[in-house]
Amino acid sequence: MSANESLWLDQALHGDPQAFAQLVELYQRPVFNLCYRMLGTAEDAEDASQETFLRAYRSMRRYDTSRSFITWLLSIAAHYCIDQMRRRRYPVISIEDLPVPDLPDHSPGMEAKLGNKQERERVRSLLQSLDPTDRAAVVLYYWYDYSYDEIGQALSLTIPAIKSRLHRARKTMAESWKENEHKVEVPGRLAHESQTV
Amino acid sequence: MNHKPFEDLLFTSDGLTNAERTILHEHLDICEDCRSLSHAWEHVTIEMRTSPLAEPAPGFSKRWQIRLVADMARRHRRQSLLMLTFSILGASLLVGALVILSLPLAGSPLALGMAWLSRLSILLSAASVTQDILATLFKMLANTISPLWLVLVLGVGSLAAVLWAASLRVLLLPRRVTK
């Protein structure tokens, strides 16, 4: 943690909103990414990440300074997103039915844009096939390189529970990918057959 | 064929031993289903590992500050409303109690006045008796305990009060970050 971060954190702990705004600037990307991977749309992710920072600001007195601040923020974000998904009863949608979400894209060319969009769609589709808590565990493991212990702390779960959830999530995602590949292959094969006839 | 043991090895969170890796590879060589699942998982891992962090639209922290101000104003309004509600409720209860108490006044104001006077005189006499008891107690203490002990007890009591106030202050202050 840099000297500036420590200073802002110290000031934020004493209720300074300007110092907390600096922390928002610093940690907006990881928090937004988690919310985006969890909820699937930029609008929902924006709302959830804003709410995460508001909740963190209001709960600063409860922040345990021996813990990492970003892990604490991600824990708030993950719990908020899981709660939102359960409240809204997000359906588990099949991959091909999902629309491509709008997300600010800073890529240079059209090819890169299309590539990014397809890639975003594929990743989003895979995550959408998972249970909310499994999804949070997967995002923290693959995007943040968190250890099982850190994921357990963030999601209030034991290490065996995290391992079990990741195992189930990996299987679900691999099966979704396999199924999707087959669905893509079948029309192509049919078209080829009709040409030969 | 039962594929579950091999799927468990494929998606394990614990890492594989050399023997387990050999068993898995031998099975993948002969099983088309598990092989395609393994390839699918490799693709999924690559997709996730190469997918960058999503970024919010520019101006995120400015929007957060605006939201914070709005949230604080909303909470302040809610607290004010709550206070007002409690005040109105308390005032209504007091007025209600006053009305109930003053109802007999309409029938016989003299009897009510006498009853209140009687209560007041009982209270005054109770206060006088308490004062007498305390005075006797202090006189007894002064006779039995030497002035030195009295000063010592008072001193220890004052010190305990100061320590209590200081510890309360330390406990209520926000924690400092030591990094």
Side-chain angles (χ1 to χ4, degrees):
Chain A
M1 185 181 275
S2 73
N4 271 349
E5 270 179 78
S6 292
L7 181 71
W8 293 331
L9 195 54
D10 191 30
Q11 289 170 342
L13 279 165
H14 289 90
D16 181 352
Q18 290 304 318
F20 196 88
Q22 296 289 343
L23 294 172
V24 173
E25 187 69 37
L26 195 66
Y27 294 117
Q28 55 176 298
R29 203 175 169 202
V31 171
F32 180 85
N33 179 66
L34 176 65
C35 297
Y36 178 69
R37 302 292 171 198
M38 290 291 290
L39 301 173
T41 69
E43 291 78 19
D44 287 345
E46 165 87 12
D47 191 53
S49 41
Q50 292 271 349
E51 184 60 31
T52 298
F53 282 113
L54 271 184
R55 287 182 175 202
Y57 180 74
R58 290 200 292 258
S59 317
M60 274 308 275
R61 276 179 174 274
R62 274 182 276 153
Y63 166 59
D64 176 4
T65 51
S66 64
R67 278 181 71 186
S68 151
F69 185 64
I70 182 63
T71 305
W72 184 65
L73 277 178
L74 292 177
S75 170
I76 296 172
H79 281 111
Y80 178 76
C81 291
I82 290 168
D83 189 44
Q84 287 296 304
M85 289 166 75
R86 285 187 180 146
R87 195 170 291 170
R88 293 179 198 173
R89 289 183 187 165
Y90 270 58
V92 176
I93 309 163
S94 73
I95 291 170
E96 66 275 15
D97 295 337
L98 287 164
V100 180
D102 289 329
L103 191 70
D105 197 342
H106 310 294
S107 54
M110 185 59 80
E111 270 183 43
K113 275 186 182 176
L114 285 172
N116 280 354
K117 206 170 185 181
Q118 281 175 346
E119 175 243 311
R120 280 208 305 265
E121 170 62 4
R122 278 199 300 267
V123 173
R124 196 175 85 99
S125 307
L126 287 166
L127 292 172
Q128 292 284 322
S129 62
L130 302 175
D131 159 272
T133 312
D134 293 2
R135 199 181 301 182
V138 164
V139 175
L140 290 173
Y141 189 80
Y142 288 99
W143 270 271
Y144 299 87
D145 287 327
Y146 270 27
S147 65
Y148 298 125
D149 186 41
E150 286 171 316
I151 300 171
Q153 276 181 26
L155 301 179
S156 314
L157 291 170
T158 61
I159 293 176
I162 292 294
K163 285 183 177 179
S164 162
R165 282 181 177 276
L166 282 173
H167 181 279
R168 187 173 59 196
R170 286 172 188 137
K171 193 180 171 197
T172 308
M173 287 191 292
E175 281 169 349
S176 295
W177 184 277
K178 196 174 142 186
E179 197 182 329
N180 192 41
E181 266 186 337
H182 281 191
K183 278 178 185 168
V184 172
E185 274 172 18
V186 169
R189 209 176 288 158
L190 284 173
H192 177 71
E193 280 166 10
S194 64
Q195 275 178 358
T196 51
V197 169
Chain B
M1 187 187 279
N2 181 17
H3 300 274
K4 196 180 176 303
F6 305 105
E7 285 176 1
D8 286 346
L9 291 176
L10 193 58
F11 302 117
T12 184
S13 301
D14 294 321
L16 296 176
T17 63
N18 285 337
E20 285 172 333
R21 198 169 288 119
T22 309
I23 291 168
L24 180 63
H25 283 150
E26 280 173 359
H27 177 75
L28 291 179
D29 284 341
I30 55 162
C31 178
E32 174 63 30
D33 278 352
C34 288
R35 194 165 54 244
S36 61
L37 200 62
S38 172
H39 286 316
W41 175 236
E42 276 170 27
H43 283 294
V44 170
T45 315
I46 291 165
E47 287 286 338
M48 287 196 296
R49 291 282 186 204
T50 54
S51 181
L53 288 186
E55 271 186 79
F60 181 87
S61 59
K62 289 275 174 220
R63 290 195 297 280
W64 179 78
Q65 280 172 301
I66 293 165
R67 193 160 165 162
L68 176 69
V69 171
D71 182 68
M72 282 164 84
R74 191 165 46 85
R75 290 168 81 82
H76 183 70
R77 268 201 308 275
R78 199 191 298 160
Q79 277 178 352
S80 305
L81 200 69
L82 206 69
M83 282 293 290
L84 188 71
T85 311
F86 274 117
S87 303
I88 290 170
L89 206 70
S92 308
L93 280 171
L94 281 175
V95 169
L98 200 68
V99 167
I100 291 167
L101 280 174
S102 59
L103 272 178
L105 198 69
S108 56
L110 190 66
L112 190 76
M114 290 302 286
W116 275 108
L117 272 176
S118 157
R119 278 181 196 175
L120 195 66
S121 69
I122 289 167
L123 273 175
L124 285 173
S125 62
S128 164
V129 169
T130 313
Q131 195 183 355
D132 288 345
I133 290 169
L134 284 174
T136 316
L137 204 66
F138 274 121
K139 274 177 194 167
M140 275 172 67
L141 279 173
N143 289 334
T144 49
I145 301 170
S146 69
L148 188 69
W149 274 103
L150 211 60
V151 168
L152 197 69
V153 167
L154 279 173
V156 170
S158 309
L159 190 69
V162 167
L163 282 174
W164 176 76
S167 62
L168 203 67
R169 185 175 158 73
V170 168
L171 284 172
L172 290 177
L173 270 177
R175 283 160 295 185
R176 286 197 168 276
V177 186
T178 49
K179 293 222 186 282

